[in-house]
Amino acid sequence: MEAHATEDRILDLVLGLLSPQEREPLLDHLAGCAQCEMVLRNLVAQQERLRGSYRVREKTEGGVAVEPLAPAQGRDRRGPATHRRSERTGPRSAVPSGESRFKSVLASLFRPWPRTAWVPLAAGCAAGVLILVLMAGPHGGSRNGGNPMVHPLPPLGIEQNSVVRGPSGPLSSAAEGLDAYESGDYPLAVRLLREAHAEGEMETVRRVYLASALAMSGEYPQALFVQKSVENADGLPEPWRSEFRWTSYVTFSRCARKASADSLLRLLAAESGPVGDRAREVLAGKEGGQETMTGRPLKPAYPATPRGPEKAPDVEKTGKAVKP
Amino acid sequence: MVRTVEIQGSAVAPPERGEVQGAESIPCWASRLQELARALEDEADQARREVLLTQAWLILHSVTFRFLRRHASGNARVTPDDLEEIAEKRVSDLLCRMRSSEWVMTRRPPNEVAPYLSRVARNGLATFLGRRHRRITTIAGGAQNAIGIEGKAMQAAGEGPEAGVERREFARALRECAEKLDPRVRLIWYLRVFCGLSSRQIAAHPEVQLKPSHIDVLLMRGRRAIKAAMRARGYSPADMPAGCFVEIWRAFRLEEPDRP
């Protein structure tokens, strides 16, 4: 086990007395050790509090006085005077405030612009139009261009469907949500699955599909929230488990959490099956110099609507009939 | 009536966790304190002298407070406020003695500074408790309290690599969100969220200098911005893991020339 940093050492760090060679390893340790980080935080907080509460002053007769500080009076939130417009442009009365400021903004809008002002404006508009045209180009997928795609989860089998669609009323909107999901109406699926309430394993089913529907609708941060709330995600049967992890990978990527995404991608690439293939393809693309895979969806991994008994997943094999 | 004040343990506080005592463990702050004392003797400008005194005061306060906490560990009747009070008084005395050359620190080797401050803290505690008719029983092995952990959540012992990555990602995301804030708003947010300063203390902070009412407005603005930016990345700022403080402090306060 790595030894903790001493409080003396941490105080030296706070006071800026360590060389960069001494400082960096200590900071790395502090970032990973909650106990030492708390010592640092206590020390820093104490010093900041002292600076915000007292002032050390030398008395004329030779002594030293530690006096309590009073908050500043009369300064405004716009910061030091040197940064303010009034200081740069002229006397304070020249700065419009309240209604007069609103009027001055209106007046500036309707004031005829100088001829030279049109040139940069026209250039900016042209650049904007060009960007829009490029984004809506023939390849489409502008939102997905250069990013991995979310894949829909496989549909539930007959066993699971019978549980979801059982006679109990509260699960009806979950069942409708799953119908909407399977038909590809993801916004409706999101709405219905959010409204639904379930318990135990059915709650896991609801959250897994809700997270996927959110990701399919492009609501990645919300999808991430829901994904985090899924308990025992590693206990899901295949292929839901790996598809759920793939969706997590995509949401991590879309939320700019590259380290988490890369870490998960490497784990997925070590697995077999369509998700493993997909992950290996992305990894090969990355290592081959491409930043990410193309927006083009890969071959469909699962056939649609296996509703009949003959297409139900092998419940005996998984041994987990209720979980997705 | 006999008043009893018992203090167990040596005059010099016992070594901390992982601390190795010896010549090589002389802390840099002790040498720095001597440098400041030397500079104070030579400095003619009063404003500059006050800056030096402030720096010395911050070091003395941190060290004395730490020794006080260690000497008082296990005594539930000594509150942190009591320790603050003792530290404040003792450090003011030390500064006055340093300024009047009554305490000539520069003539002693740096490794004597810490034991001396430990004795100052111990005597201060004894005087305080004697005055309040208190009985101290320092419990050996109460070092956990002495480091100021305050029962906060520790890092999970068996934390896996994925959790570590997650933690670092969160801290980095928080730093990136904080980078987008106006420096003044960021400082206010930092002082409140990480250091726990009140609006009044933040308002009086030498790097802020605003009205307390403005602090509240700016703080709300900063919090909203951070919350929105973190939510956009799929995080809830409420569940801040370990490592965030170090990331933020390292990014925004470590290189500040006027930082504490």
Side-chain angles (χ1 to χ4, degrees):
Chain A
M1 200 184 101
E2 198 180 351
H4 289 297
T6 63
E7 211 167 333
D8 275 334
R9 195 80 173 150
I10 297 174
L11 181 60
D12 289 343
L13 173 75
V14 171
L15 297 169
L17 303 175
L18 298 182
S19 67
Q21 290 80 17
E22 293 170 313
R23 197 173 65 187
E24 291 307 316
L26 180 57
L27 280 168
D28 289 343
H29 170 75
L30 292 171
C33 176
Q35 200 170 330
C36 291
E37 188 194 33
M38 190 54 72
V39 176
L40 170 73
R41 190 170 166 177
N42 283 343
L43 271 174
V44 171
Q46 187 189 41
Q47 298 221 338
E48 296 281 16
R49 210 167 25 245
L50 288 172
R51 293 181 76 208
S53 307
Y54 300 99
R55 171 176 177 257
V56 180
R57 198 178 57 79
E58 211 176 20
K59 288 184 200 164
T60 45
E61 59 268 29
V64 178
V66 180
E67 298 169 341
L69 272 176
Q73 299 294 324
R75 295 278 296 276
D76 67 31
R77 66 184 170 204
R78 287 175 296 166
T82 47
H83 298 312
R84 276 186 236 143
R85 184 187 163 87
S86 57
E87 299 297 319
R88 284 186 271 120
T89 55
R92 191 175 174 78
S93 58
V95 180
S97 64
E99 195 182 347
S100 62
R101 187 182 295 174
F102 175 68
K103 281 179 183 168
S104 75
V105 171
L106 271 182
S108 70
L109 283 176
F110 292 106
R111 197 180 300 141
W113 289 9
R115 199 169 281 181
T116 49
W118 289 103
V119 178
L121 185 69
C125 286
V129 169
L130 186 64
I131 289 167
L132 284 175
V133 167
L134 285 174
M135 283 174 72
H139 298 292
S142 58
R143 287 174 64 95
N144 296 328
N147 276 317
M149 302 275 293
V150 187
H151 284 246
L153 292 171
L156 290 175
I158 188 75
E159 293 272 341
Q160 291 93 335
N161 263 315
S162 65
V163 176
V164 176
R165 283 158 221 285
S168 55
L171 290 180
S172 61
S173 80
E176 286 171 17
L178 291 172
D179 277 343
Y181 183 92
E182 285 173 24
S183 64
D185 189 350
Y186 299 114
L188 180 63
V190 167
R191 190 169 63 76
L192 292 169
L193 287 169
R194 266 188 178 147
E195 285 171 3
H197 293 283
E199 283 176 4
E201 291 175 324
M202 276 322 301
E203 179 60 10
T204 307
V205 173
R206 186 185 74 82
R207 290 187 187 191
V208 166
Y209 275 86
L210 175 59
S212 177
L214 283 164
M216 295 296 288
S217 312
E219 296 176 38
Y220 299 106
Q222 288 92 333
L224 209 53
F225 276 126
V226 179
Q227 276 165 355
K228 279 184 179 174
S229 72
V230 175
E231 288 172 6
N232 193 22
D234 286 340
L236 294 170
E238 289 295 350
W240 287 274
R241 178 180 158 276
S242 41
E243 281 296 350
F244 179 76
R245 298 181 89 194
W246 174 263
T247 309
S248 300
Y249 157 66
V250 175
T251 47
F252 277 138
S253 303
R254 296 301 179 101
C255 292
R257 291 170 59 177
K258 283 193 175 164
S260 293
D262 285 348
S263 163
L264 193 52
L265 183 66
R266 283 176 204 287
L267 288 175
L268 288 171
E271 292 186 358
S272 56
V275 173
D277 295 342
R278 222 180 286 157
R280 280 187 288 278
E281 190 180 320
V282 176
L283 214 51
K286 277 188 174 182
E287 283 163 5
Q290 294 172 23
E291 187 53 33
T292 48
M293 68 185 284
T294 60
R296 173 175 56 86
L298 298 170
K299 60 182 177 184
Y302 307 100
T305 55
R307 285 290 175 83
E310 69 282 359
K311 290 191 177 178
D314 192 349
V315 175
E316 278 76 31
K317 259 188 195 173
T318 59
K320 293 176 183 176
V322 180
K323 284 183 182 174
Chain B
M1 198 174 96
V2 180
R3 291 175 192 164
T4 314
V5 177
E6 283 179 15
I7 300 178
Q8 293 172 5
S10 60
V12 181
E16 294 173 24
R17 16 165 232 147
E19 190 174 5
V20 182
Q21 282 204 320
E24 70 281 2
S25 67
I26 296 169
C28 301
W29 61 258
S31 311
R32 174 70 183 148
L33 210 50
Q34 289 189 320
E35 278 173 29
L36 288 169
R38 241 175 258 125
L40 263 171
E41 284 171 10
D42 303 337
E43 187 60 59
D45 179 39
Q46 191 189 345
R48 180 71 195 140
R49 270 205 310 272
E50 284 188 352
V51 171
L52 295 172
L53 277 170
T54 305
Q55 289 180 7
W57 171 65
L58 286 171
I59 298 175
L60 283 171
H61 193 287
S62 293
V63 177
T64 311
F65 187 79
R66 192 185 73 193
F67 283 128
L68 278 169
R69 222 172 40 208
R70 285 165 72 182
H71 290 309
S73 66
N75 189 325
R77 284 179 293 184
V78 182
T79 64
D81 286 345
D82 294 339
L83 297 182
E84 278 284 352
E85 191 188 320
I86 303 166
E88 201 181 302
K89 188 172 181 316
R90 290 284 155 172
V91 170
S92 295
D93 289 350
L94 279 174
L95 272 184
C96 289
R97 289 172 61 200
M98 196 165 109
R99 188 72 201 95
S100 62
S101 303
E102 197 181 325
W103 176 37
V104 188
M105 204 197 316
T106 49
R107 289 190 204 142
R108 293 170 178 275
N111 59 355
E112 284 187 14
V113 177
Y116 177 76
L117 291 178
S118 174
R119 277 195 299 275
V120 167
R122 191 164 168 268
N123 294 341
L125 186 65
T127 311
F128 176 83
L129 287 162
R131 209 172 50 233
R132 283 175 54 171
H133 311 258
R134 292 280 164 88
R135 182 186 174 88
I136 312 168
T137 46
T138 307
I139 298 169
Q144 193 69 1
N145 290 336
I147 55 172
I149 300 305
E150 295 164 1
K152 295 274 171 88
M154 296 290 106
Q155 184 183 8
E159 186 187 65
E162 278 188 63
V165 169
E166 178 91 351
R167 221 160 27 78
R168 284 193 293 276
E169 283 263 298
F170 188 101
R172 200 175 308 132
L174 188 64
R175 180 191 24 93
E176 284 167 8
C177 294
E179 267 169 10
K180 290 175 189 155
L181 291 179
D182 174 77
R184 183 171 292 242
V185 176
R186 185 170 59 222
L187 176 61
I188 291 167
W189 170 79
Y190 160 82
L191 290 173
R192 170 62 62 83
V193 172
F194 289 103
C195 302
L197 266 65
S198 66
S199 297
R200 196 180 160 80
Q201 285 171 326
I202 298 173
H205 195 281
E207 291 173 58
V208 180
Q209 297 282 302
L210 293 174
K211 288 184 193 169
S213 55
H214 291 156
I215 297 295
D216 294 334
V217 173
L218 294 181
L219 184 64
M220 193 173 66
R221 197 180 293 169
R223 275 194 160 142
R224 271 191 196 153
I226 292 280
K227 204 172 170 182
M230 289 297 279
R231 280 202 179 278
R233 289 164 178 251
Y235 290 113
S236 166
D239 43 56
M240 208 180 280
C244 287
F245 174 73
V246 174
E247 184 80 21
I248 294 288
W249 184 74
R250 184 184 210 166
F252 304 118
R253 300 295 285 166
L254 181 61
E255 297 298 343
E256 286 287 321
D258 200 25
R259 77 185 186 289

